[in-house]
Amino acid sequence: MANSKYEYVKAFEQPDVLLPDTWIVVRIDGRGFHKLTDRYGFQKPNDRRALDLMNAAAVEVMKDLPDLCIAYGVSDEYSFVFHPSCQLFERRSAKLVTTIVSTFTAHYIYQWGAHFPGTPLQPPYLPSFDGRAVVYPNARIFRDYMSWRQVDCHINNLYNTTFWTMVQQGGMSNTDAEQELKGTVSSDKNEILFQRFGINYNNEEEIYKKGSVVYRKYQLEEAKPAGEPETAASAVTTRDTQVSRSQQDKLKKLRRKAQVVVEHVDIIKDEFWDRRPWIISGKPGKLPDDV
């Protein structure tokens, strides 16, 4: 770029490079989705079409960005995770966040018609998302973040399922249902669902109770016996994150060959991570024989 007397304005740009050797989580949330869900008649408490659309957009983001190692979504929220070894955009926060948000939004809008046929998007009710980047210093804390989001999914879904059942099947007003649920715990809500409406919450679909996990599929490995000192969550070290650019390019090519899958499983227990060590290690596993 040619020099000019105006180039001094570049000095006002502030560096926003994220800490090295840390897990980067970019979490996006729908903006004004309450109005959007009302405008397009989303079903309460869960609309499977809307969740499938969120997951479809997340899968495309994972395909577009092989640096991503896992993503987790619930409702109108998605968390996309970069391994500590990631050097995409020199780890600049704004670039990572805007790329994730814009790519996700583009695919969400593009695939809207496939999930909501006959319901075209119309201004001013257009979907948009905001995002932020947070770094976590080690795999244990990163896993705690993922566990937090899944626990939050369960808590919110149990409440929403109980609330909307009381309103839709019990004929209660929103205000009365909200008032009755104040101060209740999980066992109280389960009791309301079962005793009044014959609903066993355990039989609800897993996608509603556990959310959606998106990752690259390799051959599952045997879980370590209970009591072994090292788990997949603690196996990665700072030394492991020092990967040259040529090695990163090679890893990206290998990751692109893997199928991106969506599952609705427990990510709080060790088993999920121990059987999928490539998520924590950042190194691609062995492709399934059928690929």
Side-chain angles (χ1 to χ4, degrees):
M1 182 182 295
N3 293 327
S4 74
K5 67 177 183 179
Y6 305 111
E7 194 172 358
Y8 76 94
V9 298
K10 290 177 60 179
F12 290 90
E13 297 181 15
Q14 295 298 304
D16 62 345
V17 177
L18 296 170
L19 287 172
D21 301 322
T22 55
W23 294 86
I24 302 173
V25 176
V26 175
R27 186 168 77 241
I28 68 171
D29 292 283
R31 294 183 62 250
F33 257 56
H34 179 72
K35 293 181 180 179
L36 184 138
T37 58
D38 288 343
R39 172 64 178 81
Y40 297 109
F42 280 29
Q43 299 168 7
K44 306 289 187 180
N46 295 294
D47 192 312
R48 184 59 188 259
R49 300 168 301 170
L51 294 177
D52 287 343
L53 174 56
M54 290 287 292
N55 292 339
V59 166
E60 294 306 317
V61 173
M62 289 285 289
K63 290 179 179 178
D64 287 351
L65 299 172
D67 296 85
L68 289 166
C69 59
I70 191 171
Y72 176 78
V74 55
S75 186
D76 63 341
E77 167 195 308
Y78 240 101
S79 297
F80 293 92
V81 183
F82 293 98
H83 189 267
S85 63
C86 173
Q87 296 300 320
L88 182 64
F89 303 133
E90 290 77 45
R91 298 174 68 88
R92 285 177 287 169
S93 177
K95 292 279 285 187
L96 293 171
V97 172
T98 54
T99 297
I100 292 286
V101 170
S102 60
T103 304
F104 185 92
T105 304
H107 285 291
Y108 187 95
I109 293 174
Y110 178 74
Q111 298 198 43
W112 173 273
H115 296 271
F116 289 88
T119 310
L121 291 169
Q122 296 180 340
Y125 301 100
L126 298 177
S128 64
F129 297 83
D130 59 35
R132 77 220 69 175
V134 182
V135 296
Y136 297 96
N138 57 51
R140 178 185 61 80
I141 297 178
F142 153 65
R143 269 193 56 184
D144 283 348
Y145 168 83
M146 299 292 279
S147 298
W148 170 51
R149 299 321 303 139
Q150 189 163 67
V151 168
D152 208 50
C153 169
H154 162 69
I155 292 173
N156 289 335
N157 186 66
L158 178 57
Y159 179 91
N160 290 333
T161 299
T162 309
F163 175 87
W164 285 107
T165 300
M166 294 167 70
V167 171
Q168 295 171 346
Q169 297 185 33
M172 297 181 67
S173 69
N174 288 16
T175 302
D176 289 342
E178 182 179 352
Q179 187 64 35
E180 183 171 343
L181 289 174
K182 277 186 177 179
T184 58
V185 295
S186 294
S187 58
D188 299 326
K189 297 179 183 70
N190 277 288
E191 188 74 7
I192 291 173
L193 288 172
F194 188 74
Q195 293 296 335
R196 298 189 194 177
F197 306 102
I199 296 175
N200 185 337
Y201 181 75
N202 292 329
N203 295 334
E204 294 294 297
E205 291 190 52
E206 296 298 290
I207 186 175
Y208 305 144
K209 296 185 296 182
K210 292 186 171 67
S212 301
V213 187
V214 185
Y215 65 94
R216 290 179 178 79
K217 183 180 180 181
Y218 301 103
Q219 287 188 13
L220 294 177
E221 299 188 12
E222 291 299 320
K224 296 177 183 291
E228 283 202 15
E230 185 180 83
T231 66
S234 61
V236 68
T237 66
T238 301
R239 182 178 62 257
D240 295 328
T241 66
Q242 306 303 317
V243 181
S244 68
R245 186 171 296 277
S246 61
Q247 289 174 312
Q248 290 223 2
D249 291 340
K250 181 179 179 181
L251 292 175
K252 286 182 183 181
K253 291 179 181 179
L254 292 173
R255 292 186 191 117
R256 289 189 186 279
K257 295 180 180 180
Q259 178 187 5
V260 176
V261 296
V262 181
E263 294 184 351
H264 318 293
V265 295
D266 190 317
I267 58 172
I268 299 174
K269 297 176 182 176
D270 288 338
E271 182 181 8
F272 174 85
W273 305 94
D274 288 341
R275 300 203 68 190
R276 301 162 182 83
W278 57 86
I279 297 174
I280 297 295
S281 71
K283 300 173 183 177
K286 183 178 179 182
L287 292 173
D289 294 332
D290 56 353
V291 174

